[in-house]
Amino acid sequence: MSSPTLDLPGAVPAPEDSVDRGVPWHFGDPFAEQRSAARSAVLVDRSHREVIAVPGEERLSWLHLVLSQHLTELPEGQGTEALVLDTHGRVDSHVLVAHHEGVVYLDTDAPSEVTSALPTIGVNGRQSLPDYLEAMRFWSKVEPRDATSEFAVLTAMGPDAGGILAGFTEVPSDAYEVRGLPGGGFVRNVPFRSLQTYDLLVPRESLVDWWLKLTDAGIRPSGTMAFEALRVEALRPRVGMDTDERAIPHELGWIHLAAHVAKGCYRGQETVAKVHNVGKPPRRMVLLHLDGSVEVSPEIGDPVFHGDRKVGRVGSVVQHHELGPVALALLKRTAPVDGELMAGDPEEDRAVAAAVDPDSVPPDSGEPPGRVAADRLRGR
């Protein structure tokens, strides 16, 4: 699917091998677009995201059983984040959720792909998220459908974004709050560290109209290159880039944010509860500062070394307007966070010096609550 915003003046398409192909990569100056996001406001076309609609009277109770988040009491006009996990608790998909006018909307990176609900369904044990939801419907009073052809995602970012949006609609002020848009769709407040961020799910036929209205009002056109740099700075992981086949929610900062530790059964729940209560995740996601004095850079999936020992995996690699070359990485808990690392594949001549940003290291949560409770029972 190719976005009509690619026909607008200055739009540069993402490369054909990019996960963001089909939408503008930038509008001539990606670093200036990042600076505008930090200082004023930008608008990003993310209409290549997949949108799934779930209407039906049992929508909340059914999604509560299918997704990792607690959803039975999600009120109208509110959203959250959630995951689809496999049976071992490994991350298959990450979705943003919005409950609007009797329908729960899920939007996620496309093409979505999760572990099949049944061994006889899917290809090589995998299937699309809409197909997975349909396979899990059984007799529940829900009618999930792929709504990607109905809605497109735009993202407004920056300290002035809310004020400009207020000229067109009621702007949600709280995290994940949802408000309807005139003409259909909704706007959602998305926590993005300190950067004000709003997702607009607009009718797909109105995509260009909304783009022109908002950019004419003063929001700078921007591309996914700038968005990705800001996403990495905000320590927001992306499935398939910052995850591998072993990644679990605890390693990515998704516990509580997207995965509930105490609700009833859902696929992968045993791992989520066990690691939270009696263990610690084997890895943790951090931000790496990369040596920018060389022309090479690591790629997604490359190893991270401490000396001769492999201690992690490189995720998203970006050029940030202030931080320079940086990357997200999954590092073993035993890896030093204050020593010099090498990120990249030395056999491909793209290994560079790297250092962990100390502010990105997740705080040690102490002894798991299950162990604490067990010690109390033993009188320790």
Side-chain angles (χ1 to χ4, degrees), residues 105-126:
Y105 294 92
L106 315 175
D107 61 282
T108 185
D109 284 324
S112 64
E113 191 177 76
V114 301
T115 305
S116 296
L118 297 171
T120 56
I121 296 178
V123 178
N124 297 323
R126 309 284 288 178

Side-chain angles (χ1 to χ4, degrees), residues 32-42 157-162 164 195-196 218-220:
E33 292 166 20
Q34 291 183 47
R35 290 192 292 271
S36 293
R39 300 169 185 172
S40 52
V42 299
M157 313 175 77
D160 297 341
I164 296 174
L195 189 65
Q196 285 189 29
I219 300 185
R220 179 174 185 153

Side-chain angles (χ1 to χ4, degrees), residues 26 37 45 60 66 78 82 98 103 122 126 129 134 195 203 216 230 271 292 306 321 351 364:
H26 61 81
D45 181 350
L60 292 179
V66 176
Q78 187 63 30
V103 179
R126 309 284 288 178
L129 181 55
E134 178 62 31
L195 189 65
D216 287 347
L230 298 168
T271 297
H306 179 241
H321 71 107
D364 192 334

Side-chain angles (χ1 to χ4, degrees), residues 241 244 283 288 290 296-305 310-317 327-331 342-352:
M241 299 174 68
D244 57 15
R283 300 178 296 180
L288 294 182
L290 306 175
V296 298
S297 64
E299 297 180 0
I300 292 172
D302 277 353
V304 180
F305 292 95
K310 182 180 175 181
V311 296
R313 173 196 183 274
V314 175
S316 302
V317 182
L328 294 178
L330 282 173
L331 297 186
M342 295 294 292
D345 189 342
E347 295 184 1
E348 298 291 335
D349 293 325
R350 57 169 183 260
V352 300

